[in-house]
């Protein structure tokens, strides 16, 4: 299912539970949604880099199993953005449900 | 032929990171490569063969094109659109105002001609390169051949005209109709004519390429393509007229060619400025939001 612009919210939520690299973030989203939120994983990286430029997350390179990985962490600004994105998503979902409920 | 997963990955990484600066490209490729190998490991652990695991990991990454567009948008400054738009706006000034300013400062018609050709060629090249990059970034359509043709034509016109005034002094009438007073002049005449011809072909091929772009926001393409085609045709007619005229064709014929030349130059300058300004504006407005790409 298309993420309908919700990827930043989902990434912020995953990172609010702890630092993670891109692959782990993608797995978390897919597993937590029981495979329903299935997106092309290449597109995760422009989103991560865009969020980093906005100051929502920060990253550092770490060595693991002989391979360099970029690990992301949520920032204070990211936590504020998460709260705001969560509110907006809640309002959006409620509005859609209202319409569907009336149909 | 045996399946080559490393080649497939390298091709995907190259396409996804095309257009990034070398530092950013290396860093992003390393990150995506680590992601790919983690995915291969998990697919193998889930019971897939090595070959199937590589194939599945690549499929998980998806099509490289949307990733490439969003990565370029993330790692480039939006100012590149604004700079390109500003240069499009000042192009007519560079073509007409700047040479006049140089002449008023130096009192030299030769300086004016050199200033015109250098300023116009430099700006044109910058704007064409920006156009080529942004069109490929956003549409995947390559204008390499068409824009190279136009750049060669404009370059030949500029170099031959500058060389002509440096060697023979200020222009009097159309330099390519001076005719046969020296071998150098004949050579420069023909380079100029070839420049007109190539510029005309380049403009016409860009016009044709614009017409082949998809619709949607590219609805503007007709407004831009047809004047480009007309201007290209004028350039070709001018080149043909010069070739047919031969040296010293007479005042009436030269007068006709001068009029055609003035129309071609004026039209070219206005079309080029409008075409690039509108293009950059459309590209700016439909640039992707990297956070909304999935």
């Amino acid at each position: 299912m298309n993420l309908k612009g919700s990827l930043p919210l989902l990434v912020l939520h995953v990172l609010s539970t702890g630092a993670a690299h891109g692959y782990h973030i993608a797995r978390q989203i897919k597993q937590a949604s029981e495979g329903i939120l299935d997106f092309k994983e290449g597109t995760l990286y422009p989103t991560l880099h865009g969020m980093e430029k906005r100051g929502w997350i920060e990253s550092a390179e770490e060595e693991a199993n002989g391979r360099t990985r970029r690990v992301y962490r949520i920032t204070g600004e990211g936590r504020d953005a998460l709260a705001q994105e969560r509110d907006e998503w809640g309002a959006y979902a409620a509005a859609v449900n209202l319409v569907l409920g009336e149909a | 032929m045996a399946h080559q997963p490393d080649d497939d990955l390298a091709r995907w990484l190259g396409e996804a990171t095309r257009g990034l600066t070398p530092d950013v490209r290396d860093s992003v490729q390393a990150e995506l490569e680590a992601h790919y190998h983690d995915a291969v490991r998990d697919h193998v652990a889930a019971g897939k063969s090595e070959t199937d695991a590589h194939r599945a990991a690549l499929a998980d990454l998806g099509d490289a094109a949307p990733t490439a567009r969003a990565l370029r948008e993330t790692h480039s400054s939006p100012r590149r659109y604004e700079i390109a738009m500003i240069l499009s706006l000042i192009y007519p000034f560079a073509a007409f105002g700047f040479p006049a300013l140089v002449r008023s400062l130096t009192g030299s018609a030769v300086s004016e001609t050199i200033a015109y050709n250098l300023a116009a060629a430099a700006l044109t090249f910058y704007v064409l390169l920006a156009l080529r990059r942004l069109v490929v970034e956003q549409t995947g359509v390559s204008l390499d051949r068409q824009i190279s043709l136009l750049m060669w034509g404009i370059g030949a016109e500029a170099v031959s005209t500058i060389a002509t005034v440096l060697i023979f002094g200020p222009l009097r009438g159309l330099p390519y109709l001076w005719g046969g007073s020296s071998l150098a002049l004949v050579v420069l005449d023909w380079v100029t004519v070839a420049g007109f011809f190539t510029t005309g072909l380049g403009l016409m091929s860009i016009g044709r390429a614009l017409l082949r772009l998809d619709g949607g926001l590219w609805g503007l393409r007709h407004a831009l393509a047809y004047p480009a085609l007309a201007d290209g045709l004028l350039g070709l007619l001018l080149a043909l007229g010069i070739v047919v005229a031969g040296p010293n064709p007479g005042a009436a014929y030269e007068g006709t060619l001068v009029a055609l030349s003035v129309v071609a130059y004026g039209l070219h300058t206005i079309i080029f400025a409008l075409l690039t300004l509108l293009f950059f504006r459309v590209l700016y407005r439909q640039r992707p939001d990297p956070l909304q790409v999935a």
Side-chain angles (χ1 to χ4, degrees):
Chain A
M1 180 182 285
N2 185 288
L3 298 189
K4 306 190 185 338
S6 63
L7 187 56
L9 166 63
L10 299 170
V11 169
L12 286 171
H13 172 72
V14 171
L15 292 179
S16 72
T17 64
H21 53 74
Y23 182 72
H24 179 78
I25 295 170
R27 286 279 81 74
Q28 283 286 101
I29 293 171
K30 290 188 176 183
Q31 282 170 10
S33 69
E34 297 176 349
I36 294 172
L37 298 179
D38 187 19
F39 58 99
K40 296 303 180 191
E41 293 166 16
T43 58
L44 172 65
Y45 290 91
T47 302
L48 284 170
H49 300 169
M51 291 169 69
E52 190 171 16
K53 281 183 185 284
R54 291 188 189 190
W56 293 356
I57 58 177
E58 58 192 13
S59 71
E61 286 189 347
E62 291 181 8
E63 286 280 331
N65 301 328
R67 199 174 290 282
T68 304
R69 284 186 174 74
R70 184 162 290 278
V71 175
Y72 294 90
R73 289 176 178 77
I74 192 166
T75 63
E77 276 182 63
R79 291 191 186 280
D80 294 343
L82 173 60
Q84 189 181 337
E85 293 264 327
R86 197 191 288 270
D87 288 347
E88 285 176 9
W89 183 261
Y92 173 79
V96 171
N97 285 334
L98 272 177
V99 174
L100 295 179
E102 284 175 7
Chain B
M1 185 184 286
H3 183 63
Q4 298 289 333
D6 288 347
D7 291 347
D8 292 342
L9 175 63
R11 200 175 305 115
W12 193 95
L13 290 174
E15 198 182 326
T17 58
R18 196 174 56 173
L20 301 179
T21 59
D23 283 355
V24 174
R25 185 189 60 215
D26 292 348
S27 164
V28 174
Q29 285 196 355
E31 193 174 19
L32 285 161
E33 199 173 343
H35 182 116
Y36 172 85
H37 287 295
D38 283 343
V40 171
R41 182 202 59 209
D42 281 359
H43 282 301
V44 169
K48 283 194 167 73
S49 69
E50 278 282 336
T51 304
D52 287 348
H54 281 284
R55 202 171 284 145
L58 205 57
D60 289 343
L61 287 172
D63 187 4
T67 299
R69 281 183 65 191
L71 279 171
R72 283 192 293 262
E73 203 55 48
T74 303
H75 292 283
S76 310
S77 166
R79 288 204 173 279
R80 70 195 194 282
Y81 295 100
E82 292 157 12
I83 290 169
M85 281 191 270
I86 289 167
L87 285 177
S88 299
L89 277 177
I90 66 172
Y91 178 76
F93 168 78
F96 299 121
F98 177 62
L101 180 68
V102 169
R103 180 170 191 164
S104 73
L105 291 175
T106 64
S108 161
V110 171
S111 302
E112 181 185 9
T113 305
I114 294 172
Y116 168 79
N117 282 280
L118 287 181
L123 263 178
T124 307
F125 280 21
Y126 180 85
V127 173
L128 285 173
L129 290 172
L131 180 71
R132 179 170 68 179
R133 181 161 56 90
L134 294 177
V135 167
V136 171
E137 276 182 20
Q138 294 220 8
T139 68
V141 174
S142 168
L143 294 179
D144 281 8
R145 193 171 48 81
Q146 294 86 344
I147 285 179
S148 294
L149 203 59
L150 189 53
M151 286 172 71
W152 273 106
I154 289 168
E157 285 178 42
V159 167
S160 61
T161 308
I162 289 172
T164 304
V165 296
L166 283 175
I167 298 169
F168 300 100
L171 296 179
R172 43 186 171 80
L174 297 179
Y176 31 81
L177 294 178
W178 291 358
S181 57
S182 76
L183 179 62
L185 192 53
V186 171
V187 170
L188 290 171
D189 283 354
W190 281 101
V191 173
T192 311
V193 172
F196 271 121
F197 188 77
T198 313
T199 303
L201 276 184
L203 274 167
M204 289 191 78
S205 61
I206 286 178
R208 282 187 62 219
L210 293 180
L211 288 175
R212 288 200 301 268
L213 286 177
D214 288 338
L217 282 171
W218 292 98
L220 274 170
R221 70 197 191 285
H222 289 103
L224 306 173
Y226 289 122
L229 283 169
D231 192 23
L233 188 61
L234 259 180
L236 293 183
L237 282 176
L238 189 58
L240 187 66
I242 294 162
V243 172
V244 169
N248 306 314
Y253 197 93
E254 182 164 356
T256 306
L257 287 184
V258 167
L260 192 60
S261 178
V262 167
V263 171
Y265 260 121
L267 197 62
H268 169 80
T269 303
I270 293 164
I271 285 172
F272 189 78
L274 282 179
L275 186 148
T276 49
L277 179 65
L278 286 172
F279 246 90
F280 292 138
R281 192 159 177 276
V282 171
L283 292 172
Y284 181 71
R285 289 178 63 163
Q286 61 174 2
R287 68 194 188 284
D289 179 354
L291 299 196
Q292 304 293 331
V293 71

